Amino acid sequence: MRYITYLAILLALLLMVPSAFGGGAQEADTDEVELLFWGFADNRNQWYRDVADLYEEMHPNVTITIETYPYDEMHDQLQTALVAGTGAPDIADVEISRFSVFTRGARVGFVPLNDYLTDDQLANLNASAALDPWTWDGVRYGIGNELNPGALYYRWDLLEEAGIETPIETWEEFTEAGQRYVEETGNYFLSVPNVTWGWWWMVAQAEGGFFDETGDVNFDNEFGQRVLQMFYDWVYVDEIATLAPGGEYDSPGQYAALDAGEFAVTMGAPWFQGFMKDNLEETAGLWEMQEFPIYADGRGSRTGQWGGTGTMITEQSDHPDVAWDFIQFANFDVDNLMLAFDRFNLYPTWVPALEDDRIYEPDPFFNDQRPGEYVERVAGDIPTFYNSPYWPEVTDYFEDFVMDRVLQDEISLEEAMRVGVEEARDLMEDF
Amino acid sequence: MRSLQTQLLYRLSNKRSAPYLFIAPFFLLFLSFWIYPVFYSLYLSFFSATGLGPRTFVALDNYTRLVGDGRFIRSVINTSTYAAASVFILAPLALMVAIALNSSYTRYLKNLYRLIYFIPVITSGVVIGIMFGVVFDYAYGLLNNFIARIGIEPIPWIRSSQWALRSIILLGIWIWLGLNSLYFLAGLQNIPNEFYESAIIDGANAPQRFRFITLPMLRPVTMFVVIQAIIGSYILFDQVWVLTAGGPQDSTLTMTIYLYLIGFRQFRLGYASAIAYSLVFIVLGLTLVVLLVFRKFGDDV
């Protein structure tokens, strides 16, 4: 009797399940398509929402839901859903440093785009920012729509007061200007990031970055050493810099210090321009930008890929063709990309969009400079980006045990690089 | 079809099955979201499961690998240091605070103290982490600003690998002191006053009364506090993740942060499961040790 009761409870609950979900999906109209999009950046998602509204107007049978989750949570959930085999969205935004882990298993988890991309489209994309970071074994899995050449931003008013002329051509001149600035004002010239993200621009200068084209560790090359030495000297020898509040440029403490005029210089990619506008209300109009200086001997790079996000179709999507159509609509259309430019200074990887006049408008935040001209000037100089499946281990290790220890004066640079490369290779072999 | 449903409903409507029906939702959720993952994780810990795709059975390889994994050992040492501080610094402090709160001198401020000590407990770990990022900052932090005024050199609270774990311990004490004091306070208030009165008549002084009445009577509460501190320490994650993410140089890498890094940042699910189970074994072992110690201690009295 008792068992029959238990069984009855169980069966009753089971019977409740389908009715709770509206009774099966068989009768659904096959033309109706629902797409789910996951992203982690508010401004990107607001733009995707705008574009989705336009797309839904043109295709009434398609409904697109845009969901935003915090950065870590979204990527973690996406990985979990792909492992579980269910629950993943149709389309997802994947940040540049979170893509490589997907290349570790037998499957990548996203729909290959090689057959979708036409030759015409390929010819019109800036490959180093749009395709390379989301390509693995020759298969393209995502479209990055942001051109992210890092730049140097400075307070023109403070520099003028200190008698410093811009643009600054070489790093040697930059350091001298910093010393003059510190003498004049008693404030630091800039801050140096010693934890996450700070190394992005170091990658830029290091003509290649963390890995070389063979996949070997490359952060100890001549330029990697040179840049880290320069960081170190700024803090301990030239005394023009301090470690950034919170250890990074995108931190509340750093923004507060910038807005209060405690540093005159900072660095970042175009997405950082949007962050500056959101966080530096007091000093709007007092900022200008220039490309990175290079070294007096002519080596170095004027810019470098600094971050980025790719949009992918997951393997669980029931409508990859519609999803691709939407991604094309958003990312390969000048007017739609302009909506993103208006929202958060997105400089498109879609080359025809860079011919649009609107990108070259003067920007009041940057004292009526034309940021678009800067991007156009340096876009071709972005050094190639080599990804690696060991990206998370090696970059984490580099931040924590090479960069941070050198910048906290705990270990000499030569020692840190020597041990660092050995350890990083061990990590890769160990895997 | 309809008759089956009607029959089921009829059966469910009888009084004896009603209680089971009421508790069924909890147990179904408990089974699917708790018991199932727990066992699945154990199963997964015997596999090499990296990224997406097929898994290979590796028996105990993940566990033998742990023994030689320097970062894992580091995380065990860090977490155990934190746990030791919770047991040997936090718990005695909490007892002292409870005794102070229980004394007749603080009678009128009791409610205020209770409120002040309880605020951190109801604040989310993430909020605490963000807040203390501002407090602990080296150049612009509140704490360094304060100690500079009384003439102390600034301390690299969370920036240096020497200090970071200490700062996390300090933060842990700030968060948990209040709650643990309340546990002790409840224990203190349960000790009948007659014991103290008769001890005074027998000529026992204050330290003797503490040693022979208060401590033994608090044994169950103390055991509870210690076991809770151990479990809480080994699952420590959010504040540390927000404040230091395990750095600088792994000096605050806790076991749960390492588990997260391996599972998500490195996408090695089998190995992450092995870390999770080693965590379970450590906590289980320590809890048994505590139970034994307290039993022995109890026999002495």
Side-chain angles (χ1 to χ4, degrees):
Chain A
M1 180 61 202
R2 183 182 279 174
Y3 296 105
I4 295 172
T5 312
Y6 289 139
L7 203 66
I9 293 168
L10 196 66
L11 275 172
L13 283 161
L14 285 175
L15 286 173
M16 277 155 65
V17 173
S19 58
F21 288 96
Q26 269 79 14
E27 64 272 71
D29 184 349
T30 43
D31 281 335
E32 290 294 324
V33 175
E34 286 184 19
L35 291 180
L36 177 61
F37 171 98
W38 281 1
F40 60 89
D42 282 333
N43 49 19
R44 278 181 68 87
N45 284 10
Q46 284 157 5
W47 168 67
Y48 262 124
R49 180 70 262 164
D50 293 347
V51 180
D53 288 342
L54 297 173
Y55 190 83
E56 285 169 348
E57 256 173 56
M58 292 162 61
H59 308 271
N61 62 322
V62 180
T63 317
I64 301 168
T65 310
I66 308 279
E67 288 184 354
T68 312
Y69 298 95
Y71 176 87
D72 283 327
E73 198 183 321
M74 195 225 84
H75 291 98
D76 297 349
Q77 269 188 43
L78 183 63
Q79 285 172 237
T80 311
L82 287 172
V83 169
T86 171
D90 298 277
I91 310 173
D93 256 1
V94 176
E95 200 264 344
I96 194 165
S97 60
R98 294 294 296 256
F99 173 68
S100 75
V101 293
F102 289 100
T103 66
R104 299 195 151 178
R107 298 195 320 274
V108 174
F110 302 105
V111 175
L113 303 178
N114 296 40
D115 293 340
Y116 285 114
L117 279 158
T118 64
D119 289 344
D120 197 38
Q121 285 169 341
L122 286 172
N124 278 317
L125 282 167
N126 182 317
S128 68
L131 302 166
D132 294 351
W134 295 277
T135 298
W136 183 243
D137 269 350
V139 184
R140 308 190 186 286
Y141 293 100
I143 301 296
N145 62 3
E146 303 174 9
L147 211 50
N148 280 323
L152 191 90
Y153 306 96
Y154 55 87
R155 284 279 299 273
W156 62 266
D157 57 328
L158 297 179
L159 261 53
E160 209 170 81
E161 270 172 47
I164 295 163
E165 279 177 33
T166 52
I168 299 168
E169 277 302 308
T170 66
W171 286 118
E172 287 80 357
E173 285 169 30
F174 179 86
T175 307
E176 276 168 36
Q179 285 166 323
R180 206 165 343 126
Y181 181 86
V182 174
E183 240 168 68
E184 291 279 327
T185 64
N187 282 338
Y188 286 114
F189 195 43
L190 77 164
S191 66
V192 171
N194 57 317
V195 296
T196 41
W197 305 117
W199 37 260
W200 272 109
W201 84 268
M202 183 166 161
V203 174
Q205 286 286 320
E207 297 190 356
F210 282 91
F211 299 92
D212 62 19
E213 68 274 20
T214 67
D216 192 19
V217 185
N218 190 35
F219 58 70
D220 66 327
N221 70 21
E222 187 195 341
F223 292 94
Q225 302 231 11
R226 213 165 169 178
V227 175
L228 194 54
Q229 183 69 52
M230 182 170 73
F231 274 35
Y232 175 87
D233 288 347
W234 284 346
V235 179
Y236 296 100
V237 181
D238 313 314
E239 295 181 343
I240 62 169
T242 182
L243 298 185
E248 55 182 322
Y249 281 158
D250 177 25
S251 76
Q254 170 78 6
Y255 291 126
L258 288 177
D259 226 9
E262 295 193 34
F263 311 127
V265 176
T266 190
M267 286 165 246
W271 51 261
F272 191 68
Q273 295 171 14
F275 285 17
M276 287 172 80
K277 289 177 182 180
D278 289 343
N279 291 289
L280 303 177
E281 286 166 13
E282 303 283 323
T283 49
L286 300 177
W287 292 93
E288 283 183 359
M289 70 177 82
Q290 68 157 84
E291 46 269 78
F292 291 147
I294 52 172
Y295 290 98
D297 61 9
R299 302 299 300 272
S301 172
R302 288 286 180 193
T303 191
Q305 170 86 355
W306 194 332
T309 296
T311 305
M312 346 235 158
I313 306 170
T314 73
E315 62 182 11
Q316 289 175 24
S317 175
D318 290 330
H319 310 284
D321 294 345
V322 185
W324 173 247
D325 195 51
F326 172 65
I327 291 175
Q328 286 187 89
F329 177 74
N331 294 297
F332 304 156
D333 179 284
V334 177
D335 286 324
N336 291 339
L337 287 166
M338 279 307 117
L339 294 175
F341 176 76
D342 290 341
R343 245 187 211 288
F344 56 103
N345 284 38
L346 174 134
Y347 294 94
T349 54
W350 181 245
V351 178
L354 288 177
E355 281 153 24
D356 194 283
D357 289 341
R358 283 169 283 182
I359 280 194
Y360 303 98
E361 291 289 312
D363 187 336
F365 185 90
F366 291 104
N367 195 26
D368 285 339
Q369 271 190 330
R370 298 166 195 269
E373 283 179 2
Y374 164 78
V375 173
E376 189 197 26
R377 208 160 54 231
V378 299
D381 296 342
I382 301 179
T384 315
F385 176 93
Y386 296 108
N387 213 333
S388 156
Y390 308 105
W391 181 270
E393 281 93 347
V394 172
T395 57
D396 276 359
Y397 181 83
F398 175 82
E399 275 167 27
D400 248 15
F401 290 94
V402 180
M403 185 152 176
D404 189 41
R405 291 181 78 189
V406 169
L407 290 179
Q408 300 218 39
D409 207 13
E410 291 175 11
I411 187 172
S412 77
L413 188 138
E414 295 72 29
E415 180 72 4
M417 286 287 190
R418 192 183 57 75
V419 179
V421 168
E422 274 172 30
E423 283 285 329
R425 286 192 183 128
D426 277 354
L427 281 173
M428 289 162 61
E429 263 168 42
D430 222 35
F431 188 74
Chain B
M1 202 48 210
R2 193 183 138 70
S3 70
L4 174 63
Q5 229 162 359
T6 327
Q7 273 183 30
L8 282 171
L9 283 173
Y10 172 74
R11 226 172 247 295
L12 289 174
S13 64
N14 83 45
K15 270 187 189 164
R16 279 182 45 190
S17 59
Y20 299 106
L21 196 59
F22 280 120
I23 61 167
F26 168 77
F27 278 97
L28 284 178
L29 293 175
F30 180 72
L31 282 172
S32 48
F33 292 109
W34 212 87
I35 297 292
Y36 172 70
V38 161
F39 283 99
Y40 191 72
S41 171
L42 180 63
Y43 166 81
L44 211 53
S45 73
F46 301 115
F47 285 81
S48 165
T50 299
L52 306 170
R55 293 164 184 153
T56 39
F57 182 71
V58 294
L60 290 171
D61 273 12
N62 284 329
Y63 291 95
T64 50
R65 187 190 185 132
L66 279 175
V67 184
D69 181 348
R71 283 191 91 187
F72 173 72
I73 306 287
R74 182 77 201 253
S75 77
V76 174
I77 292 171
N78 287 344
T79 318
S80 304
T81 309
Y82 183 87
S86 301
V87 172
F88 296 110
I89 300 175
L90 171 62
L93 263 180
L95 178 59
M96 275 157 65
V97 170
I99 289 171
L101 282 179
N102 201 35
S103 81
S104 46
Y105 299 109
T106 53
R107 189 180 305 155
Y108 301 106
L109 294 170
K110 226 171 261 179
N111 283 334
L112 178 70
Y113 284 137
R114 280 181 192 167
L115 178 71
I116 291 172
Y117 285 121
F118 213 61
I119 283 175
V121 179
I122 54 167
T123 311
S124 113
V126 175
V127 173
I128 288 173
I130 293 171
M131 234 165 65
F132 273 81
V134 178
V135 173
F136 283 141
D137 191 83
Y138 181 72
Y140 303 91
L142 297 177
L143 204 53
N144 276 348
N145 194 317
F146 175 73
I147 64 172
R149 277 171 205 214
I150 51 174
I152 302 173
E153 286 287 299
I155 293 170
W157 296 105
I158 47 172
R159 178 194 280 187
S160 109
S161 51
Q162 264 78 47
W163 276 93
L165 189 60
R166 293 176 212 172
S167 304
I168 298 289
I169 289 170
L170 206 65
L171 179 59
I173 290 173
W174 181 80
I175 296 172
W176 296 113
L177 184 64
L179 187 67
N180 286 320
S181 309
L182 279 191
Y183 293 145
F184 278 124
L185 191 62
L188 284 174
Q189 286 171 347
N190 274 336
I191 304 175
N193 228 355
E194 289 82 4
F195 289 6
Y196 292 106
E197 279 162 12
S198 50
I200 290 170
I201 292 167
D202 287 345
N205 60 23
Q208 282 172 331
R209 291 201 298 274
F210 179 74
R211 166 71 183 84
F212 294 106
I213 299 174
T214 314
L215 274 187
M217 292 299 285
L218 283 179
R219 195 165 63 95
V221 177
T222 313
M223 191 169 80
F224 173 76
V225 166
V226 167
I227 290 177
Q228 257 233 338
I230 290 173
I231 295 174
S233 300
Y234 278 91
I235 58 170
L236 176 72
F237 182 82
D238 29 10
Q239 302 97 278
V240 186
W241 179 250
V242 173
L243 260 185
T244 62
Q249 297 152 32
D250 285 351
S251 61
T252 58
L253 185 76
T254 64
M255 290 180 75
T256 48
I257 288 183
Y258 191 50
L259 190 164
Y260 171 77
L261 290 176
I262 295 290
F264 287 97
R265 288 294 159 85
Q266 306 190 8
F267 220 0
R268 294 150 78 180
L269 301 171
Y271 195 41
S273 301
I275 295 173
Y277 265 87
S278 64
L279 185 67
V280 171
F281 291 132
I282 289 175
V283 174
L284 204 65
L286 283 174
T287 309
L288 286 176
V289 168
V290 171
L291 287 174
L292 285 175
V293 166
F294 273 84
R295 181 174 294 168
K296 195 171 178 305
F297 178 62
D299 291 343
D300 289 348
V301 175

